[in-house]
Amino acid sequence: MAVPTLHVVATPIGNLSDLTPRALETLRTVDAICAEDTRRTGQLLSHFGLSTPLLALHEHNEEAIAARIVTRLQQGQSLALVCDAGTPLVSDPGYRLVRAARAAGIRVSPVPGACAAIAALSVAGLPSDRFVFEGFLPARPSARREHLRTLVSEPRTLVFYESSHRIAESLADLVAVFGAQRPAAIARELTKLFETVLDGQLAALLAQVEADENQRKGEFVVMVQGATADADARLAEGRRVHALLKDHLPPSTAARLAAEITGAPRKALYGG
Ligand code: SAM
């Protein structure tokens, strides 16, 4: 008898032909599939003519349901874990279940496939030997800018997920905090009909997205090149000058002057 296994299965991020043959076979043969949204996964299964039973496992019930799923695995069943699209656990539920299964000594095995972040990096033309996956930025503008400020000196390429609701706002904040000229790329609707990959400096990308309503539709991966030694030195100098000025001037004036004097992005120095 096969060893009871929790198979963590990647599903397509758009084009259904990206479901791998091994994923298809796994989803066909397991006893049940734990799915983030059983309706959406049901549609995927019916497209491939599968009728494997589904179990709902989402952010809100994961902790509670993980124990029940682990019991089924301990009783000898094999199960699959999927999310709505792409790789489970990547900005998606699943890590609590995986942790619980591993803690119980259950075999957990990946069936790799699509992941929007990796697909986007593979076509962006930005340095990709080392990168930082940031997932979704905070929704609140002040929290978002605050978070971006902590990343301004990061030398590795930054990878963000973004939705159509916030793409323009988030790009505007990226321009404000990282500066207009930081190289970046936006991958939209990958593997789908309206797939678009734009690259260029942040301010030019923002202008393109603002000018064309279609460029604000769909799902996005935004990638920003890491800080260079030059940009980092400007920022350090900007912070030094700002620290000197802010005891004598209103903080926002101090930030504006420090940015003008040193070339550091103003919002990387002071809130807003
Ligand atoms: N687990 C998924 C993965 O492996 O990529 C990510 C799930 S997360 C909830 C959804 C986000 O992924 C979207 O808001 C978008 O930022 C990104 N995304 C998913 N599919 C995409 C696609 N086809 N093109 C661009 N971005 C996509």
Side-chain angles (χ1 to χ4, degrees), residues 127-132 154-158:
S128 51
D129 281 354
R130 302 192 314 145
F131 59 88
V132 182
E154 169 57 57
R156 294 167 290 184
T157 294
L158 295 158

Side-chain angles (χ1 to χ4, degrees), residues 167-186 198-212 215 222-225 265:
I167 183 69
E169 278 179 54
S170 288
L171 280 174
D173 284 344
L174 286 168
V175 172
V177 176
F178 290 90
Q181 285 159 14
R182 183 80 77 96
I186 304 174
L198 305 174
D199 66 83
Q201 296 184 337
L202 273 172
L205 290 175
L206 172 62
Q208 264 176 289
V209 168
E210 279 180 336
D212 179 357
Q215 293 302 328
V222 178
M223 293 150 288
V224 180
Q225 190 167 312

Side-chain angles (χ1 to χ4, degrees), residues 5-207:
T5 302
L6 175 64
H7 301 274
V8 182
V9 180
T11 56
I13 56 168
N15 189 323
L16 293 183
S17 302
D18 290 338
L19 190 76
T20 69
R22 197 158 80 85
L24 187 56
E25 186 56 15
T26 305
L27 296 179
R28 197 177 64 73
T29 53
V30 287
D31 294 294
I33 301 168
C34 309
E36 190 187 356
D37 177 340
T38 51
R39 195 184 50 86
R40 278 195 63 172
T41 301
Q43 287 165 355
L44 180 79
L45 295 187
S46 71
H47 176 87
F48 287 99
L50 306 182
S51 54
T52 312
L54 291 166
L55 298 169
L57 177 108
H58 41 74
E59 237 182 313
H60 310 290
N61 74 354
E62 187 177 345
E63 198 79 60
I65 214 166
R68 292 199 343 237
I69 293 172
V70 169
T71 304
R72 289 177 71 149
L73 290 158
Q74 284 170 325
Q75 287 167 347
Q77 295 197 356
S78 277
L79 303 174
L81 168 67
V82 300
C83 57
D84 287 355
T87 301
L89 281 78
V90 178
S91 287
D92 265 329
Y95 99 88
R96 292 180 189 84
L97 172 61
V98 167
R99 188 175 54 184
R102 295 186 63 81
I106 301 291
R107 179 171 175 255
V108 181
S109 179
V111 182
C115 173
I118 301 300
L121 266 178
S122 76
V123 293
L126 291 172
S128 51
D129 281 354
R130 302 192 314 145
F131 59 88
V132 182
F133 176 65
E134 276 288 322
F136 289 99
L137 281 164
R140 259 191 323 119
S142 58
R144 188 165 58 228
R145 280 178 223 137
E146 193 54 48
H147 183 69
L148 289 176
R149 274 194 284 277
T150 68
L151 297 172
V152 85
S153 298
E154 169 57 57
R156 294 167 290 184
T157 294
L158 295 158
V159 182
F160 302 98
Y161 279 168
E162 198 45 275
S163 69
S164 52
H165 314 297
R166 276 197 288 272
I167 183 69
E169 278 179 54
S170 288
L171 280 174
D173 284 344
L174 286 168
V175 172
V177 176
F178 290 90
Q181 285 159 14
R182 183 80 77 96
I186 304 174
R188 182 176 79 95
E189 293 288 87
L190 291 171
T191 77
K192 302 186 207 176
L193 189 59
F194 296 109
E195 175 180 289
T196 323
V197 182
L198 305 174
D199 66 83
Q201 296 184 337
L202 273 172
L205 290 175
L206 172 62

